Amino acid sequence: MLEGSLKDFTLDEVLQIISMGEKTGRLILKGETPFGKKEGAIFFERGQVKDAETEQYRGEPAVVDLLSIKEGYFKFVPEDVSHIKQSINKSIPDLVLLATSKLDEWDRIKNKISSVDSVFKLSSDGIPERIHLTPTQWRIISLLSKGLTIRQIALKLNMTVIDVSKDVYGLVALKIVREVGQKDAEGKRFVKRRGASRNFIIRLIERLKRV
Amino acid sequence: MNRYKIVISGPFAAGKTTFINTVTEIDPVNTEAKTTHTNEAGIKDSTTVAMDFGRITLDGENVLHIFGTPGQFRFNYMWSILGKDALGIIVVVDSGEKDKFDEARDMINFFRVKTDAPLVVALNQFENKNGLTEDEARKLLGLPNKIPIISCDARNKESVKHVLLELLRLILARGDTY
Ligand SMILES: Nc1nc2c(ncn2[C@@H]2O[C@H](COP(=O)(O)OP(=O)(O)O)[C@@H](O)[C@H]2O)c(=O)[nH]1
Ligand SMILES: [Mg+2]
């Protein structure tokens, strides 16, 4: 049995474990999606999705709903599913993609930049010489390098967070900026970094040396 | 709870599973007993899920997860997700399987494009095969100098540790840490 919070494992990682391990059983999911609270189960046979159900749906729409869960709880119970009718014939990656495309553009962008409270840093390689950037992108780069979040920049430039996010995502894809952490919603306290703490890595190195 | 992730990738039979099993603290003999209580990561584990997954716990607050990439899902969505917030990537290559080098090169490039996590190549030396040296493999993989390539024996703890330490040093040197 595998059980925990989606804070500790992402849903994609849970799916990977089940699929790689060619597991048979029921994955129970419960949590928040952009479309409200969802609860249900996905049935797996030898690592492949066989069927799914939520309060509302059965089959593919149920999987799509369940795969949209971002925060919540999961539990995988190995059990016989031979009595369950096969209602789904798509691979896990295809189902994950379906779920993703159901989220609207805003959600897709949000996934790419992780948060509108993210803080970015100019990459050490600098800006490629012959790249063409719009005046707005240049302004955004300058504000990002001062440590402003997407939310703060949107306020400052009188743009929507969606538009700023799109530009920032473009800059990330071009490797001009890199996300380094997040601030809280008031834009004050630094609450999370994507990189690890230096202290953690140093202690891990010490720990490994001793093993 | 801070959970960090390292991804182990590479062609089929390169030694990924062996590599992870050599370094993980999850003892397959003990996992059954562990299912009754929640461990430090808040996860209940057992032999049924101990696949290509490893763990090194530093303390109650900090844990390193090690994920292997599945061979059958080549270059797809799952791989991007796995790589996305990884601290670093290790690509394991069998030094004696020259046929697999093209595939390994594609994998390395995939991670270089999709993530900005530091990457090292672990050149697994199977003693009964006449494997390539680090320099020969670097050439064949078209690997830039800034990516380390390290000979190793995936079954040997010291050797696997050495690769992990190289990766951790690279992470520190990149200055992404705070
Ligand atoms: N002699 C030798 N055998 C190894 C080494 N690493 C892995 N193997 C063996 O090679 C086979 C494939 O390794 P595995 O870890 O399953 O590869 P994976 O497909 O990349 O996960 C297994 O039978 C391992 O025991 C090594 O360094 N030396
Ligand atoms: Mg394997």
Side-chain angles (χ1 to χ4, degrees), chain A residues 40-69:
Chain A
I42 304 177
F43 298 90
F44 291 86
E45 190 162 59
R46 273 171 272 117
Q48 298 288 326
V49 175
K50 191 173 192 190
D51 188 21
E53 64 180 349
T54 59
E55 286 151 348
Q56 257 178 308
Y57 303 115
R58 176 124 219 157
E60 205 170 291
V63 188
V64 169
D65 260 3
L66 291 172
L67 294 188
S68 307
I69 292 178

PDB file of all heavy atoms in Angstrom, chain A residues 40-69:
ATOM      1  N   GLY A  40     -12.589  10.203  -5.772  1.00  0.00           N
ATOM      2  CA  GLY A  40     -12.916   9.032  -6.565  1.00  0.00           C
ATOM      3  C   GLY A  40     -11.787   8.032  -6.590  1.00  0.00           C
ATOM      4  O   GLY A  40     -10.868   8.091  -5.763  1.00  0.00           O
ATOM      5  N   ALA A  41     -11.853   7.113  -7.547  1.00  0.00           N
ATOM      6  CA  ALA A  41     -10.837   6.068  -7.619  1.00  0.00           C
ATOM      7  C   ALA A  41     -10.518   5.746  -9.075  1.00  0.00           C
ATOM      8  O   ALA A  41     -11.372   5.810  -9.957  1.00  0.00           O
ATOM      9  CB  ALA A  41     -11.333   4.809  -6.914  1.00  0.00           C
ATOM     10  N   ILE A  42      -9.238   5.400  -9.291  1.00  0.00           N
ATOM     11  CA  ILE A  42      -8.808   4.934 -10.611  1.00  0.00           C
ATOM     12  C   ILE A  42      -8.368   3.477 -10.439  1.00  0.00           C
ATOM     13  O   ILE A  42      -7.630   3.168  -9.502  1.00  0.00           O
ATOM     14  CB  ILE A  42      -7.628   5.773 -11.149  1.00  0.00           C
ATOM     15  CG1 ILE A  42      -8.002   7.256 -11.189  1.00  0.00           C
ATOM     16  CG2 ILE A  42      -7.212   5.289 -12.538  1.00  0.00           C
ATOM     17  CD1 ILE A  42      -6.871   8.172 -11.646  1.00  0.00           C
ATOM     18  N   PHE A  43      -8.826   2.611 -11.330  1.00  0.00           N
ATOM     19  CA  PHE A  43      -8.474   1.192 -11.230  1.00  0.00           C
ATOM     20  C   PHE A  43      -7.365   0.864 -12.218  1.00  0.00           C
ATOM     21  O   PHE A  43      -7.440   1.242 -13.389  1.00  0.00           O
ATOM     22  CB  PHE A  43      -9.708   0.323 -11.496  1.00  0.00           C
ATOM     23  CG  PHE A  43     -10.795   0.554 -10.482  1.00  0.00           C
ATOM     24  CD1 PHE A  43     -11.766   1.534 -10.690  1.00  0.00           C
ATOM     25  CD2 PHE A  43     -10.821  -0.172  -9.293  1.00  0.00           C
ATOM     26  CE1 PHE A  43     -12.756   1.785  -9.741  1.00  0.00           C
ATOM     27  CE2 PHE A  43     -11.808   0.070  -8.343  1.00  0.00           C
ATOM     28  CZ  PHE A  43     -12.772   1.042  -8.562  1.00  0.00           C
ATOM     29  N   PHE A  44      -6.366   0.185 -11.712  1.00  0.00           N
ATOM     30  CA  PHE A  44      -5.219  -0.175 -12.542  1.00  0.00           C
ATOM     31  C   PHE A  44      -5.096  -1.686 -12.656  1.00  0.00           C
ATOM     32  O   PHE A  44      -5.313  -2.414 -11.683  1.00  0.00           O
ATOM     33  CB  PHE A  44      -3.920   0.331 -11.906  1.00  0.00           C
ATOM     34  CG  PHE A  44      -3.794   1.813 -11.928  1.00  0.00           C
ATOM     35  CD1 PHE A  44      -4.349   2.576 -10.915  1.00  0.00           C
ATOM     36  CD2 PHE A  44      -3.107   2.450 -12.946  1.00  0.00           C
ATOM     37  CE1 PHE A  44      -4.228   3.959 -10.924  1.00  0.00           C
ATOM     38  CE2 PHE A  44      -2.979   3.828 -12.964  1.00  0.00           C
ATOM     39  CZ  PHE A  44      -3.537   4.582 -11.957  1.00  0.00           C
ATOM     40  N   GLU A  45      -4.722  -2.107 -13.848  1.00  0.00           N
ATOM     41  CA  GLU A  45      -4.391  -3.520 -14.035  1.00  0.00           C
ATOM     42  C   GLU A  45      -3.024  -3.584 -14.690  1.00  0.00           C
ATOM     43  O   GLU A  45      -2.818  -3.036 -15.765  1.00  0.00           O
ATOM     44  CB  GLU A  45      -5.448  -4.192 -14.907  1.00  0.00           C
ATOM     45  CG  GLU A  45      -5.295  -5.705 -14.951  1.00  0.00           C
ATOM     46  CD  GLU A  45      -6.581  -6.367 -15.429  1.00  0.00           C
ATOM     47  OE1 GLU A  45      -7.005  -6.058 -16.557  1.00  0.00           O
ATOM     48  OE2 GLU A  45      -7.166  -7.166 -14.661  1.00  0.00           O
ATOM     49  N   ARG A  46      -2.110  -4.220 -14.053  1.00  0.00           N
ATOM     50  CA  ARG A  46      -0.721  -4.313 -14.495  1.00  0.00           C
ATOM     51  C   ARG A  46      -0.195  -2.966 -14.995  1.00  0.00           C
ATOM     52  O   ARG A  46       0.370  -2.851 -16.063  1.00  0.00           O
ATOM     53  CB  ARG A  46      -0.571  -5.401 -15.565  1.00  0.00           C
ATOM     54  CG  ARG A  46      -0.331  -6.791 -14.918  1.00  0.00           C
ATOM     55  CD  ARG A  46      -0.387  -7.924 -15.889  1.00  0.00           C
ATOM     56  NE  ARG A  46      -1.746  -8.413 -16.024  1.00  0.00           N
ATOM     57  CZ  ARG A  46      -2.451  -8.366 -17.153  1.00  0.00           C
ATOM     58  NH1 ARG A  46      -1.951  -7.845 -18.243  1.00  0.00           N
ATOM     59  NH2 ARG A  46      -3.678  -8.837 -17.169  1.00  0.00           N
ATOM     60  N   GLY A  47      -0.405  -1.935 -14.188  1.00  0.00           N
ATOM     61  CA  GLY A  47       0.159  -0.628 -14.484  1.00  0.00           C
ATOM     62  C   GLY A  47      -0.620   0.208 -15.478  1.00  0.00           C
ATOM     63  O   GLY A  47      -0.278   1.355 -15.732  1.00  0.00           O
ATOM     64  N   GLN A  48      -1.679  -0.359 -16.067  1.00  0.00           N
ATOM     65  CA  GLN A  48      -2.487   0.383 -17.032  1.00  0.00           C
ATOM     66  C   GLN A  48      -3.814   0.789 -16.403  1.00  0.00           C
ATOM     67  O   GLN A  48      -4.376   0.032 -15.620  1.00  0.00           O
ATOM     68  CB  GLN A  48      -2.791  -0.492 -18.256  1.00  0.00           C
ATOM     69  CG  GLN A  48      -1.557  -0.931 -19.028  1.00  0.00           C
ATOM     70  CD  GLN A  48      -0.932   0.218 -19.792  1.00  0.00           C
ATOM     71  OE1 GLN A  48      -1.626   1.104 -20.276  1.00  0.00           O
ATOM     72  NE2 GLN A  48       0.392   0.212 -19.880  1.00  0.00           N
ATOM     73  N   VAL A  49      -4.309   1.959 -16.796  1.00  0.00           N
ATOM     74  CA  VAL A  49      -5.603   2.389 -16.277  1.00  0.00           C
ATOM     75  C   VAL A  49      -6.710   1.552 -16.927  1.00  0.00           C
ATOM     76  O   VAL A  49      -6.750   1.390 -18.140  1.00  0.00           O
ATOM     77  CB  VAL A  49      -5.843   3.882 -16.588  1.00  0.00           C
ATOM     78  CG1 VAL A  49      -7.244   4.299 -16.160  1.00  0.00           C
ATOM     79  CG2 VAL A  49      -4.807   4.735 -15.869  1.00  0.00           C
ATOM     80  N   LYS A  50      -7.596   1.029 -16.091  1.00  0.00           N
ATOM     81  CA  LYS A  50      -8.662   0.180 -16.596  1.00  0.00           C
ATOM     82  C   LYS A  50     -10.016   0.896 -16.524  1.00  0.00           C
ATOM     83  O   LYS A  50     -10.802   0.858 -17.462  1.00  0.00           O
ATOM     84  CB  LYS A  50      -8.721  -1.114 -15.786  1.00  0.00           C
ATOM     85  CG  LYS A  50      -9.626  -2.167 -16.394  1.00  0.00           C
ATOM     86  CD  LYS A  50      -9.509  -3.489 -15.642  1.00  0.00           C
ATOM     87  CE  LYS A  50     -10.179  -4.607 -16.436  1.00  0.00           C
ATOM     88  NZ  LYS A  50     -10.305  -5.841 -15.655  1.00  0.00           N
ATOM     89  N   ASP A  51     -10.251   1.563 -15.421  1.00  0.00           N
ATOM     90  CA  ASP A  51     -11.541   2.215 -15.219  1.00  0.00           C
ATOM     91  C   ASP A  51     -11.346   3.270 -14.129  1.00  0.00           C
ATOM     92  O   ASP A  51     -10.327   3.274 -13.438  1.00  0.00           O
ATOM     93  CB  ASP A  51     -12.581   1.163 -14.782  1.00  0.00           C
ATOM     94  CG  ASP A  51     -14.000   1.736 -14.735  1.00  0.00           C
ATOM     95  OD1 ASP A  51     -14.248   2.768 -15.382  1.00  0.00           O
ATOM     96  OD2 ASP A  51     -14.846   1.147 -14.037  1.00  0.00           O
ATOM     97  N   ALA A  52     -12.351   4.144 -14.018  1.00  0.00           N
ATOM     98  CA  ALA A  52     -12.287   5.153 -12.968  1.00  0.00           C
ATOM     99  C   ALA A  52     -13.687   5.594 -12.621  1.00  0.00           C
ATOM    100  O   ALA A  52     -14.595   5.517 -13.458  1.00  0.00           O
ATOM    101  CB  ALA A  52     -11.472   6.356 -13.427  1.00  0.00           C
ATOM    102  N   GLU A  53     -13.846   6.056 -11.392  1.00  0.00           N
ATOM    103  CA  GLU A  53     -15.152   6.592 -11.034  1.00  0.00           C
ATOM    104  C   GLU A  53     -15.028   7.744 -10.041  1.00  0.00           C
ATOM    105  O   GLU A  53     -14.136   7.772  -9.198  1.00  0.00           O
ATOM    106  CB  GLU A  53     -16.073   5.496 -10.473  1.00  0.00           C
ATOM    107  CG  GLU A  53     -15.585   4.891  -9.189  1.00  0.00           C
ATOM    108  CD  GLU A  53     -16.539   3.806  -8.660  1.00  0.00           C
ATOM    109  OE1 GLU A  53     -17.655   3.699  -9.186  1.00  0.00           O
ATOM    110  OE2 GLU A  53     -16.146   3.092  -7.730  1.00  0.00           O
ATOM    111  N   THR A  54     -15.913   8.716 -10.205  1.00  0.00           N
ATOM    112  CA  THR A  54     -16.074   9.784  -9.226  1.00  0.00           C
ATOM    113  C   THR A  54     -17.566   9.834  -8.907  1.00  0.00           C
ATOM    114  O   THR A  54     -18.343   9.059  -9.472  1.00  0.00           O
ATOM    115  CB  THR A  54     -15.643  11.146  -9.812  1.00  0.00           C
ATOM    116  OG1 THR A  54     -16.447  11.412 -10.963  1.00  0.00           O
ATOM    117  CG2 THR A  54     -14.183  11.150 -10.208  1.00  0.00           C
ATOM    118  N   GLU A  55     -17.931  10.774  -8.030  1.00  0.00           N
ATOM    119  CA  GLU A  55     -19.362  10.884  -7.723  1.00  0.00           C
ATOM    120  C   GLU A  55     -20.155  11.182  -8.993  1.00  0.00           C
ATOM    121  O   GLU A  55     -21.278  10.742  -9.160  1.00  0.00           O
ATOM    122  CB  GLU A  55     -19.594  11.992  -6.691  1.00  0.00           C
ATOM    123  CG  GLU A  55     -19.142  11.561  -5.302  1.00  0.00           C
ATOM    124  CD  GLU A  55     -18.687  12.724  -4.439  1.00  0.00           C
ATOM    125  OE1 GLU A  55     -18.500  13.840  -4.966  1.00  0.00           O
ATOM    126  OE2 GLU A  55     -18.495  12.507  -3.240  1.00  0.00           O
ATOM    127  N   GLN A  56     -19.520  11.964  -9.896  1.00  0.00           N
ATOM    128  CA  GLN A  56     -20.211  12.417 -11.093  1.00  0.00           C
ATOM    129  C   GLN A  56     -20.099  11.490 -12.282  1.00  0.00           C
ATOM    130  O   GLN A  56     -21.041  11.324 -13.034  1.00  0.00           O
ATOM    131  CB  GLN A  56     -19.590  13.748 -11.518  1.00  0.00           C
ATOM    132  CG  GLN A  56     -20.407  14.959 -11.188  1.00  0.00           C
ATOM    133  CD  GLN A  56     -19.630  16.180 -11.626  1.00  0.00           C
ATOM    134  OE1 GLN A  56     -18.456  16.353 -11.277  1.00  0.00           O
ATOM    135  NE2 GLN A  56     -20.280  17.019 -12.410  1.00  0.00           N
ATOM    136  N   TYR A  57     -18.876  10.964 -12.501  1.00  0.00           N
ATOM    137  CA  TYR A  57     -18.608  10.260 -13.753  1.00  0.00           C
ATOM    138  C   TYR A  57     -18.059   8.861 -13.563  1.00  0.00           C
ATOM    139  O   TYR A  57     -17.558   8.500 -12.497  1.00  0.00           O
ATOM    140  CB  TYR A  57     -17.557  11.024 -14.576  1.00  0.00           C
ATOM    141  CG  TYR A  57     -17.878  12.441 -14.900  1.00  0.00           C
ATOM    142  CD1 TYR A  57     -17.093  13.462 -14.378  1.00  0.00           C
ATOM    143  CD2 TYR A  57     -18.920  12.755 -15.753  1.00  0.00           C
ATOM    144  CE1 TYR A  57     -17.344  14.783 -14.686  1.00  0.00           C
ATOM    145  CE2 TYR A  57     -19.185  14.078 -16.078  1.00  0.00           C
ATOM    146  CZ  TYR A  57     -18.391  15.091 -15.537  1.00  0.00           C
ATOM    147  OH  TYR A  57     -18.638  16.386 -15.846  1.00  0.00           O
ATOM    148  N   ARG A  58     -18.068   8.143 -14.702  1.00  0.00           N
ATOM    149  CA  ARG A  58     -17.416   6.848 -14.781  1.00  0.00           C
ATOM    150  C   ARG A  58     -16.569   6.871 -16.048  1.00  0.00           C
ATOM    151  O   ARG A  58     -16.972   7.459 -17.045  1.00  0.00           O
ATOM    152  CB  ARG A  58     -18.497   5.763 -14.873  1.00  0.00           C
ATOM    153  CG  ARG A  58     -17.988   4.372 -15.050  1.00  0.00           C
ATOM    154  CD  ARG A  58     -18.535   3.467 -13.940  1.00  0.00           C
ATOM    155  NE  ARG A  58     -17.495   2.557 -13.541  1.00  0.00           N
ATOM    156  CZ  ARG A  58     -17.445   1.941 -12.366  1.00  0.00           C
ATOM    157  NH1 ARG A  58     -18.374   2.171 -11.468  1.00  0.00           N
ATOM    158  NH2 ARG A  58     -16.469   1.113 -12.092  1.00  0.00           N
ATOM    159  N   GLY A  59     -15.405   6.253 -16.023  1.00  0.00           N
ATOM    160  CA  GLY A  59     -14.590   6.172 -17.235  1.00  0.00           C
ATOM    161  C   GLY A  59     -13.689   7.383 -17.416  1.00  0.00           C
ATOM    162  O   GLY A  59     -13.269   8.020 -16.456  1.00  0.00           O
ATOM    163  N   GLU A  60     -13.441   7.704 -18.672  1.00  0.00           N
ATOM    164  CA  GLU A  60     -12.471   8.737 -18.994  1.00  0.00           C
ATOM    165  C   GLU A  60     -12.722  10.094 -18.323  1.00  0.00           C
ATOM    166  O   GLU A  60     -11.780  10.687 -17.774  1.00  0.00           O
ATOM    167  CB  GLU A  60     -12.399   8.890 -20.509  1.00  0.00           C
ATOM    168  CG  GLU A  60     -11.087   9.455 -20.977  1.00  0.00           C
ATOM    169  CD  GLU A  60     -10.966   9.373 -22.483  1.00  0.00           C
ATOM    170  OE1 GLU A  60     -10.843   8.250 -23.004  1.00  0.00           O
ATOM    171  OE2 GLU A  60     -11.025  10.424 -23.137  1.00  0.00           O
ATOM    172  N   PRO A  61     -13.958  10.611 -18.341  1.00  0.00           N
ATOM    173  CA  PRO A  61     -14.167  11.913 -17.690  1.00  0.00           C
ATOM    174  C   PRO A  61     -13.808  11.871 -16.201  1.00  0.00           C
ATOM    175  O   PRO A  61     -13.349  12.876 -15.641  1.00  0.00           O
ATOM    176  CB  PRO A  61     -15.679  12.164 -17.858  1.00  0.00           C
ATOM    177  CG  PRO A  61     -16.144  11.217 -18.892  1.00  0.00           C
ATOM    178  CD  PRO A  61     -15.210  10.074 -18.926  1.00  0.00           C
ATOM    179  N   ALA A  62     -13.991  10.715 -15.603  1.00  0.00           N
ATOM    180  CA  ALA A  62     -13.636  10.591 -14.182  1.00  0.00           C
ATOM    181  C   ALA A  62     -12.122  10.688 -13.990  1.00  0.00           C
ATOM    182  O   ALA A  62     -11.642  11.368 -13.084  1.00  0.00           O
ATOM    183  CB  ALA A  62     -14.163   9.269 -13.624  1.00  0.00           C
ATOM    184  N   VAL A  63     -11.374  10.015 -14.870  1.00  0.00           N
ATOM    185  CA  VAL A  63      -9.901  10.095 -14.753  1.00  0.00           C
ATOM    186  C   VAL A  63      -9.451  11.534 -14.931  1.00  0.00           C
ATOM    187  O   VAL A  63      -8.617  12.041 -14.178  1.00  0.00           O
ATOM    188  CB  VAL A  63      -9.171   9.280 -15.849  1.00  0.00           C
ATOM    189  CG1 VAL A  63      -7.682   9.223 -15.567  1.00  0.00           C
ATOM    190  CG2 VAL A  63      -9.725   7.895 -15.947  1.00  0.00           C
ATOM    191  N   VAL A  64     -10.014  12.174 -15.957  1.00  0.00           N
ATOM    192  CA  VAL A  64      -9.591  13.537 -16.254  1.00  0.00           C
ATOM    193  C   VAL A  64      -9.826  14.445 -15.033  1.00  0.00           C
ATOM    194  O   VAL A  64      -8.969  15.241 -14.656  1.00  0.00           O
ATOM    195  CB  VAL A  64     -10.321  14.056 -17.509  1.00  0.00           C
ATOM    196  CG1 VAL A  64     -10.112  15.543 -17.689  1.00  0.00           C
ATOM    197  CG2 VAL A  64      -9.827  13.302 -18.738  1.00  0.00           C
ATOM    198  N   ASP A  65     -10.972  14.278 -14.403  1.00  0.00           N
ATOM    199  CA  ASP A  65     -11.251  15.059 -13.201  1.00  0.00           C
ATOM    200  C   ASP A  65     -10.248  14.751 -12.088  1.00  0.00           C
ATOM    201  O   ASP A  65      -9.699  15.649 -11.450  1.00  0.00           O
ATOM    202  CB  ASP A  65     -12.659  14.738 -12.680  1.00  0.00           C
ATOM    203  CG  ASP A  65     -13.655  15.800 -13.103  1.00  0.00           C
ATOM    204  OD1 ASP A  65     -13.250  16.726 -13.825  1.00  0.00           O
ATOM    205  OD2 ASP A  65     -14.829  15.691 -12.696  1.00  0.00           O
ATOM    206  N   LEU A  66     -10.014  13.465 -11.883  1.00  0.00           N
ATOM    207  CA  LEU A  66      -9.144  13.068 -10.767  1.00  0.00           C
ATOM    208  C   LEU A  66      -7.697  13.503 -11.013  1.00  0.00           C
ATOM    209  O   LEU A  66      -6.979  13.861 -10.084  1.00  0.00           O
ATOM    210  CB  LEU A  66      -9.221  11.558 -10.548  1.00  0.00           C
ATOM    211  CG  LEU A  66     -10.569  11.068  -9.994  1.00  0.00           C
ATOM    212  CD1 LEU A  66     -10.638   9.541 -10.001  1.00  0.00           C
ATOM    213  CD2 LEU A  66     -10.798  11.606  -8.577  1.00  0.00           C
ATOM    214  N   LEU A  67      -7.293  13.485 -12.287  1.00  0.00           N
ATOM    215  CA  LEU A  67      -5.916  13.875 -12.582  1.00  0.00           C
ATOM    216  C   LEU A  67      -5.714  15.392 -12.502  1.00  0.00           C
ATOM    217  O   LEU A  67      -4.600  15.880 -12.617  1.00  0.00           O
ATOM    218  CB  LEU A  67      -5.474  13.352 -13.951  1.00  0.00           C
ATOM    219  CG  LEU A  67      -5.381  11.828 -14.082  1.00  0.00           C
ATOM    220  CD1 LEU A  67      -4.749  11.434 -15.399  1.00  0.00           C
ATOM    221  CD2 LEU A  67      -4.590  11.211 -12.929  1.00  0.00           C
ATOM    222  N   SER A  68      -6.810  16.118 -12.317  1.00  0.00           N
ATOM    223  CA  SER A  68      -6.672  17.565 -12.148  1.00  0.00           C
ATOM    224  C   SER A  68      -6.431  17.945 -10.684  1.00  0.00           C
ATOM    225  O   SER A  68      -6.253  19.115 -10.375  1.00  0.00           O
ATOM    226  CB  SER A  68      -7.944  18.276 -12.612  1.00  0.00           C
ATOM    227  OG  SER A  68      -8.274  17.883 -13.914  1.00  0.00           O
ATOM    228  N   ILE A  69      -6.422  16.954  -9.820  1.00  0.00           N
ATOM    229  CA  ILE A  69      -6.219  17.248  -8.398  1.00  0.00           C
ATOM    230  C   ILE A  69      -4.793  17.728  -8.160  1.00  0.00           C
ATOM    231  O   ILE A  69      -3.835  17.110  -8.595  1.00  0.00           O
ATOM    232  CB  ILE A  69      -6.514  15.996  -7.538  1.00  0.00           C
ATOM    233  CG1 ILE A  69      -8.003  15.673  -7.604  1.00  0.00           C
ATOM    234  CG2 ILE A  69      -6.067  16.216  -6.085  1.00  0.00           C
ATOM    235  CD1 ILE A  69      -8.408  14.441  -6.832  1.00  0.00           C
TER     236      ILE A  69
END
